[in-house]
Amino acid sequence: MAQAVVVLALATLLAAIYRFLIYPSLLCPMARIPTLSFTSRFSSLSLLWLQYSGQENRTIYELHRRKGPIIRLAPRVLSLNCFEGGLKQVYLGGFPKSGFYPLGFINYGILPMFAMTNNKEHGARKRAFANVFSKSHILSSESAREVTRAIIFDRLLPLIHQKATKSEAVDVIPLNYAYSMDSFVNWQVGIASGCNFIQNEAERDMYLTAFFDRERYTFEACHIPFITTILEKIGIRLIPKEVDEGTIDIENWNLAMCDKAVALLGTKDDVPPQDFPSVLAQGLRGMSNMEDLSSMASAEKTYPNRLDIAGEMFSDSSAAHETSGVTLSYLFWELSKRPELQTQLRTELRSLDPPLRLGDGGKALPNAKDVVQLPLLDALIMETLRLYPAVPGGQPRVTPAPSNSLGGFDGIPGGVVVQCSAYTVHRNEDVFPDPEAWKPERWLEATPEQLTAMRRWFWAFGSGPSMCIGSNFSLYSMKFCITAIYSNFASTIHDHGDMELMDAYLAGPKGGRLELVFSEAP
Ligand code: HEM
């Protein structure tokens, strides 16, 4: 009997050695792919260390430079940096999202589109919202225009003007989060139901503190969820209770805005354009087939799919403010170092008819179509998104069964996590020579062939069926912000923290502080 037990134990041990060591290291179809470290063939520890210590994006970039377009980061995790057999197959081909998303981006206990891993479900949700986020809809939306007018003339410009008059420095990082949040949320749910982060610092701080506290624990929530859960069960919390409580506070804050907007839809026949909840109304129509939105009056707090809709709104505004805020901040940073470029930009902005000027009393906004087409303004944003992508980290997807050819290797099985990252993709020297330099002129001086390659490798918004749904809105909103500020003011750097891009999935400047002094432009 004892002998049988020993034989069984030995057989189990040998099977485990074969399954977890020999097969993945030497025999599986991925065995010859270059690795992050020797142990990556059979263990995820090296990758976890990179993620924990904030070195993942930079290390992966260096590895691709040295070892080619495909790297094995862990036994069943691959990083890719090529178009054919990489970006094209994985993202344009619509490989589904990995389990990373539901772990980190769930609200109210319900998956929003961002976190859905099932392609069918994800596609249906995306179609429900696609119309309101289309470029043509945004550029002709009266609601977007009136919200933009109010945010710029009643909130943003008066604040900058006041600071400029006193030559007081402004920390533009929280201001840019505030502008991006106000700009998006007030279009999403309408000004009457929305937020005012630019002027109401207490509301802004409540939200941003809870939001960034949660983001700080991405590693614990998304990369070691099993350990985090087990430890929590025995009373050891890796994610402090206050972080979860903060998330509940901002979920409630968001839900209250949604409820208010739905109630408004029901109580007024004609909601003024600036108060119309454009994205929320699309959610009611698209997710619940509610054509007659005025019937919502009786449905306050009980409208169909209330938490699903609130979850989408929460997820959208989370995705909107950090990314756009970071991009604006880096753009201001680069511009503030270059007074001549500011003059050049101001000349372009003031050619708009009407120009966006503070002080002429009319609150006149130029046509959105004209603003988004300005070449220098566009080049500044493209270059900022290239060098400082707000989502620099890997966007993990899962290979379909049974077998895939990726990065020049065949036979990659289904169920393997594959990812590209904007940080690396945007540093392709063949496409973006001198990749570490911020050179907006590269977008203006490129030949048509170069521009085609640059656009193909521009990946700040991802690509394919799960590409950013808010790209058109973010470009619209950021372009109006820059137009408003640099048509009227010049900026110089007063002081700043570490401006290096954090190494994470979502990232901004490490130091989190950029103080600029604005002055009235001649
Ligand atoms: C500069 C601004 C922005 C940048 C750089 C950006 C970037 C991205 C990227 C890279 C993705 C793909 C992420 C992944 O699959 O891992 C994404 C997805 C997404 N973004 Fe944005 N984003 C921006 C603004 C916005 C805005 C304003 C919204 C508001 C609606 C938004 C909503 C979303 C949503 C809902 C998804 C998920 C789409 C899907 O799963 O199909 N983003 N974004």
Side-chain angles (χ1 to χ4, degrees):
M1 175 66 184
Q3 206 179 11
V5 171
V6 171
V7 170
L8 192 67
L10 214 58
T12 310
L13 182 68
L14 287 176
I17 290 175
Y18 176 80
R19 165 91 171 74
F20 295 110
L21 205 62
I22 298 178
Y23 180 77
S25 303
L26 303 172
L27 303 174
C28 88
M30 297 185 286
R32 291 186 25 236
I33 295 176
T35 53
L36 160 63
S37 73
F38 172 73
T39 58
S40 306
R41 291 182 175 84
F42 52 85
S43 141
S44 302
L45 280 179
S46 300
L47 177 60
L48 284 173
W49 169 247
L50 288 186
Q51 289 162 338
Y52 176 73
S53 57
Q55 306 176 62
E56 185 183 2
N57 300 341
R58 283 173 179 78
T59 308
I60 289 175
Y61 167 57
E62 286 304 329
L63 283 169
H64 279 296
R65 275 166 68 101
R66 285 193 283 117
K67 300 189 177 185
I70 181 163
I71 308 289
R72 195 172 176 196
L73 302 176
R76 293 180 72 77
V77 182
L78 302 174
S79 173
L80 293 161
N81 188 38
C82 46
F83 185 77
E84 294 292 339
L87 286 171
K88 185 171 153 190
Q89 269 70 16
V90 175
Y91 297 93
L92 301 182
F95 286 16
K97 288 183 172 182
S98 79
F100 167 77
Y101 296 88
L103 288 167
F105 303 95
I106 190 165
N107 317 300
Y108 307 102
I110 296 173
L111 294 183
M113 173 207 315
F114 197 99
M116 287 175 176
T117 56
N118 177 303
N119 272 358
K120 212 170 149 205
E121 202 184 0
H122 174 270
R125 181 61 58 85
K126 199 153 192 175
R127 280 192 297 280
F129 283 93
N131 174 47
V132 75
F133 284 108
S134 70
K135 186 172 176 181
S136 55
H137 177 88
I138 291 164
L139 295 187
S140 57
S141 158
E142 210 191 334
S143 293
R145 189 170 177 76
E146 290 315 312
V147 168
T148 304
R149 195 193 306 279
I151 305 286
I152 285 178
F153 283 104
D154 301 342
R155 300 184 189 178
L156 181 68
L157 288 182
L159 186 139
I160 306 264
H161 174 70
Q162 187 204 13
K163 298 282 183 185
T165 314
K166 297 185 203 156
S167 299
E168 259 178 34
V170 185
D171 185 351
V172 293
I173 294 182
L175 178 64
N176 287 332
Y177 290 144
Y179 167 82
S180 305
M181 194 69 168
D182 284 0
S183 164
F184 180 72
V185 167
N186 290 303
W187 175 60
Q188 182 185 49
V189 297
I191 288 187
S193 315
C195 61
N196 186 349
F197 279 15
I198 295 180
Q199 294 175 319
N200 185 343
E201 285 190 23
E203 187 184 30
R204 177 208 304 187
D205 290 349
M206 181 281 295
Y207 177 88
L208 292 181
T209 304
F211 179 85
F212 286 115
D213 278 353
R214 178 186 184 184
E215 196 170 283
R216 221 161 278 133
Y217 290 91
T218 302
F219 177 77
E220 288 77 2
C222 299
H223 297 304
I224 50 164
F226 185 65
I227 296 175
T228 305
T229 312
I230 295 279
L231 288 179
E232 197 181 323
K233 284 201 188 336
I234 57 167
I236 303 171
R237 293 189 67 104
L238 296 186
I239 303 177
K241 204 162 135 230
E242 304 77 61
V243 172
D244 292 339
E245 287 168 355
T247 302
I248 293 172
D249 288 345
I250 56 177
E251 282 179 348
N252 288 338
W253 170 85
N254 172 73
L255 189 58
M257 289 195 301
C258 296
D259 288 348
K260 197 169 169 192
V262 172
L264 182 73
L265 280 176
T267 51
K268 286 200 186 173
D269 286 341
D270 254 341
V271 179
Q274 70 275 13
D275 293 332
F276 185 73
S278 301
V279 183
L280 183 130
Q282 174 78 34
L284 287 168
R285 287 196 197 98
M287 288 165 62
S288 316
N289 296 323
M290 300 290 309
E291 276 312 322
D292 178 16
L293 296 178
S294 61
S295 67
M296 290 286 95
S298 57
E300 193 187 348
K301 297 192 183 177
T302 60
Y303 47 94
N305 298 318
R306 177 176 177 240
L307 288 186
D308 296 79
I309 288 176
E312 285 300 338
M313 300 303 113
F314 187 98
S315 163
D316 285 354
S317 59
S318 309
H321 76 86
E322 184 179 7
T323 50
S324 305
V326 164
T327 310
L328 285 171
S329 298
Y330 274 115
L331 196 146
F332 290 4
W333 155 252
E334 294 292 355
L335 265 185
S336 300
K337 291 188 258 179
R338 296 171 175 79
E340 341 67 61
L341 188 57
Q342 289 186 45
T343 310
Q344 217 183 316
L345 174 65
R346 193 165 305 111
T347 306
E348 181 179 89
L349 298 177
R350 287 187 180 170
S351 72
L352 286 162
D353 184 18
L356 201 165
R357 298 306 300 271
L358 176 70
D360 59 12
K363 299 187 180 180
L365 271 192
N367 192 312
K369 289 191 183 100
D370 296 338
V371 173
V372 298
Q373 277 172 11
L374 291 173
L376 179 56
L377 178 60
D378 190 62
L380 295 175
I381 293 199
M382 292 296 280
E383 184 62 355
T384 306
L385 283 167
R386 182 197 69 80
L387 187 59
Y388 306 110
V391 186
Q395 300 176 26
R397 303 292 186 264
V398 181
T399 54
S403 173
N404 303 269
S405 296
L406 296 169
F409 284 80
D410 297 329
I412 295 168
V416 171
V417 173
V418 285
Q419 61 177 44
C420 295
S421 55
Y423 186 88
T424 298
V425 167
H426 286 177
R427 281 168 169 73
N428 178 340
E429 272 172 301
D430 296 335
V431 180
F432 304 109
D434 197 4
E436 295 296 340
W438 186 80
K439 288 184 174 173
E441 63 276 14
R442 71 171 87 235
W443 296 94
L444 299 166
E445 294 166 1
T447 63
E449 295 74 40
Q450 285 169 331
L451 207 55
T452 305
M454 286 159 75
R455 292 200 180 281
R456 173 182 275 190
W457 281 78
F458 176 79
W459 209 56
F461 295 110
S463 54
S466 56
M467 180 185 164
C468 178
I469 200 172
S471 60
N472 294 315
F473 185 85
S474 70
L475 292 172
Y476 163 94
S477 163
M478 293 191 293
K479 285 181 175 179
F480 263 112
C481 177
I482 300 161
T483 302
I485 293 182
Y486 285 95
S487 295
N488 293 284
F489 301 98
S491 65
T492 51
I493 297 171
H494 173 71
D495 198 7
H496 58 85
D498 186 351
M499 287 300 290
E500 196 183 354
L501 189 67
M502 282 155 56
D503 194 312
Y505 169 72
L506 272 156
K510 279 183 180 168
R513 184 172 56 87
L514 173 60
E515 294 177 17
L516 302 183
V517 173
F518 291 94
S519 55
E520 308 280 345

